[in-house]
Amino acid sequence: MKRMPEALIMAISAIVLGILAGALLMVSIGSNPIAGYYHLMRGSLMSVMRIGNTIATSITLILTGLSVAFAFKTGLFNIGASGQMLMGGLCAVIIGLNVVIPRPLLLLLMIAAAFAGGAAWGSVPGFLKAKFNVHEVVATIMMNWIAYWVVYYVVPTYLKGAFLETESRILPAQASLRAPWLTNLFNGSYINLGIVIALVAVFVIRFILNRLALGFELKAVGFNRHAALYAGIHVNRNIILSMVIAGGLAGLAGVTFYAGYAVNMQIGVLPIQGFDGIAVALLGANNPLGVLGAALFFGLLHSGKGFMNAMTGIPPEISDAIIATIIYFTATSLIIQRVWVRFSRFKKGGK
Amino acid sequence: MWDIVAQIFPYAIAYTIPLLITALGGLFSERSGVINIGLEGLMVIGYFCTAITVRYLEPVMPPGTAVPIGLLAGFVGGMIFSLLHALASINLNANQVISGTAINMMAGALTVYLARTITGSGNILIRTGLFRRTVPVLSQIPIIGRLFFTQVYSSTWLVLAILLISWFLLYKTAFGLRLRSCGEHPGAAASAGINVYLMRYLGVMISGAYAGLGGGIIMVTYSGEFGGTVAGLGFLALASLIFGQWKPFGVLGATFFFGFAITIANVSQVIPEFAVIPPLILRVFPYVVTLLALVVFSKSSQAPKAIGQPYYPGQG
């Protein structure tokens, strides 16, 4: 029998442990975990519309997951996908609300703006890391909160609607990634053209990492910065470039969320998708295809939670708790490894 | 100007204190060699434990007793939850940043999950927190009396006492020397007979307890209602740690600076002298300053040398 790749065993073990932890939480409040998970799955899969919504939820996660995974490949930890997503979304929404040009051009411009906004936000920690060796984790956290407050003041000042101070005007239909044919195909779901962006991104990133010299250089920097330098690779340039692309990907997540899943931008929220992206990247073993699969799985968890809450009374935060548990167990994969090693030894020894 | 300072001073202190105690906790963890990104989540845990304890004890206990017990619950709750981070980063050689991120997400999700189950809305309201007191004689001292002894919470004195004790522990006792050596060179520490695992466990547990207390103090001072998030204060505590260069009094200065900055941003709309500055500038000020501080200190950082590195027995 062909051996399963280790990353897959780890991912499945972490998922199983996460689901067990979720079941434990359901039991702890006196709910039936089987009913809970049943309704969670029904909530995300029971109709064509709900499947569409699940995919729509996953689109954003694919892109934030790719963002984190891409930076990981260069040995950088991008905790800042949230902030980059906000800035990408903000740039796209500003264009969408103010520019009047034919729809295809407008959408392309919004997508480009989103990439640029996220890339700009990612470039700062990248630059600080390359030039001053500032730890990117702290720098990206600071950038997250700067983005949070930028959105907090820019939206009410320049983009607010007639009634609410806390959100922007609603994007006109022509500036939305939702397409009537796609919406109708999925019986009126939130699914949108972001799926194209996400899938293209998965394959472009895969191509960069596996086929281009650039990808090789980025990975070399991630494996061993000093060896890469010795081999004549411009380490600093690659660090900045890695964060720019990672930021751009998170920026794209912003346009798919604020101009696709949602119809406008709200203030006072640091999008959870940025942090979920860390879970997606870890579970997907930083592999673009793995990211795609992991994002679909997390999309399932997020998309069905409202229905589960309505049917069973289990609070929707259960999904976030499961995802956090999965991150925890992927980080501590050593414990899973030890158990597996012991288990396989036991099988061999026992004959 | 003096009047404005005296006016906003009590608020600045109220913001500084939870930041200070949390950052001090982070100091213990990072000095022992373990990065603790999870401070934010540990604060949320303390916030929740204090809220739930006070809510249930308030109706049945004599007045004034529920709040201290609630704070103790926050302290203990944070300490217990931090064991997850300790286990991951000390025994299982996990990436400490990822483990900390998991702690943050788990704390936010778990507390709101439980709060929703208990109260239905996910918010927990308490009737009475701590009261501001004016110290009788000391408040008459010119300047200092008005700033430090007028309208203060008793938690302020508690935290300042903990600051002094922490400084003493870290720099004047064998325990402190051992803890710090584990963050600088765990291999050398181990060869001198120090139990690196134990020291790091203690470091992380103190950080959890302090952060939990910090969250609890938010609950019983300026918040009064649990809402599932401390809005980035834990990350600001982390920034204070860097800004204060991993030294107790440096951290005091940094947190006071941030506490003041937050307060100015909060009140800028009602005080004409500040209203001329765009609020966005005031809001992002602490974060931008932290980025600049990181650049300035990058050449001469006092960060513990072995921070973030797992320790393997027998390593040189």
Side-chain angles (χ1 to χ4, degrees), chain A residues 161-174:
Chain A
F163 307 108
L164 280 172
E165 286 280 338
T166 55
E167 53 185 61
S168 75
R169 290 194 300 278
I170 289 176
L171 285 165
Q174 73 146 357

Side-chain angles (χ1 to χ4, degrees), chain A residues 8 17 46 75 111 134 139 169 174 181 252 263 265 300 318 334:
Chain A
L8 195 61
L17 288 167
M46 75 177 159
I111 292 167
V134 166
R169 290 194 300 278
Q174 73 146 357
W181 62 270
L252 290 179
V263 289
M265 198 161 189
L300 216 65
I318 189 87
L334 195 69

Side-chain angles (χ1 to χ4, degrees), chain B residues 2-28:
Chain B
W2 160 244
D3 261 345
I4 298 171
V5 171
Q7 219 178 1
I8 67 174
F9 208 80
Y11 298 96
I13 297 282
Y15 273 106
T16 302
I17 291 302
L19 264 185
L20 172 60
I21 186 72
T22 307
L24 277 177
L27 183 71
F28 275 92

Side-chain angles (χ1 to χ4, degrees), chain B residues 83-107:
Chain B
L83 286 173
L84 279 177
H85 184 54
L87 178 73
S89 27
I90 302 166
N91 295 109
L92 301 173
N93 306 342
N95 181 323
Q96 300 173 2
V97 174
I98 298 176
S99 162
T101 307
I103 297 282
N104 285 336
M105 294 182 71
M106 216 182 283

Side-chain angles (χ1 to χ4, degrees), chain A residues 22 25-29 72 77 79 124 128 131-135 137-143 145-146 148-151 153-154 272 275-276 278-279 282 309 314-318 320-321 323-325 327-328 331-332 334-335 338, chain B residues 35 37 40 83-89 91-95 97-99 101-103 105-110 112-114 116-117 229 231-233 235-236 238-239 242 265 279-280 283-284 286-288 290-291 294-295 298-299:
Chain A
L25 270 179
M26 292 181 199
V27 171
S28 74
I29 60 163
F72 259 138
F77 193 17
I79 288 203
V124 176
L128 294 179
K131 270 279 177 298
F132 302 103
N133 202 21
V134 166
H135 203 305
V137 166
V138 184
T140 47
I141 290 173
M142 296 302 128
M143 294 302 286
W145 288 96
I146 296 174
Y148 174 94
W149 288 113
V150 166
V151 169
Y153 286 103
V154 167
I272 183 89
F275 299 102
D276 285 347
I278 300 167
L282 285 172
N309 179 237
I314 298 169
E317 283 75 19
I318 189 87
D320 304 304
I323 292 174
T325 314
I327 301 191
Y328 184 80
T332 57
L334 195 69
I335 198 168
R338 276 185 194 156
Chain B
I35 300 177
I37 296 274
E40 174 95 358
L83 286 173
L84 279 177
H85 184 54
L87 178 73
S89 27
N91 295 109
L92 301 173
N93 306 342
N95 181 323
V97 174
I98 298 176
S99 162
T101 307
I103 297 282
M105 294 182 71
M106 216 182 283
L110 193 64
V112 178
Y113 178 83
L114 294 175
R116 247 191 237 287
T117 313
T229 168
L233 276 187
F235 292 125
L236 217 46
L238 201 70
I242 298 159
L280 176 60
R283 286 290 179 193
V284 301
Y287 307 106
V288 174
T290 304
L291 286 176
L294 283 166
V295 171
S298 61
K299 286 282 177 289

Side-chain angles (χ1 to χ4, degrees), chain A residues 53-69:
Chain A
N53 288 347
T54 302
I55 297 173
T57 311
S58 304
I59 291 169
T60 309
L61 295 178
I62 294 170
L63 288 162
T64 53
L66 274 183
S67 165
V68 177

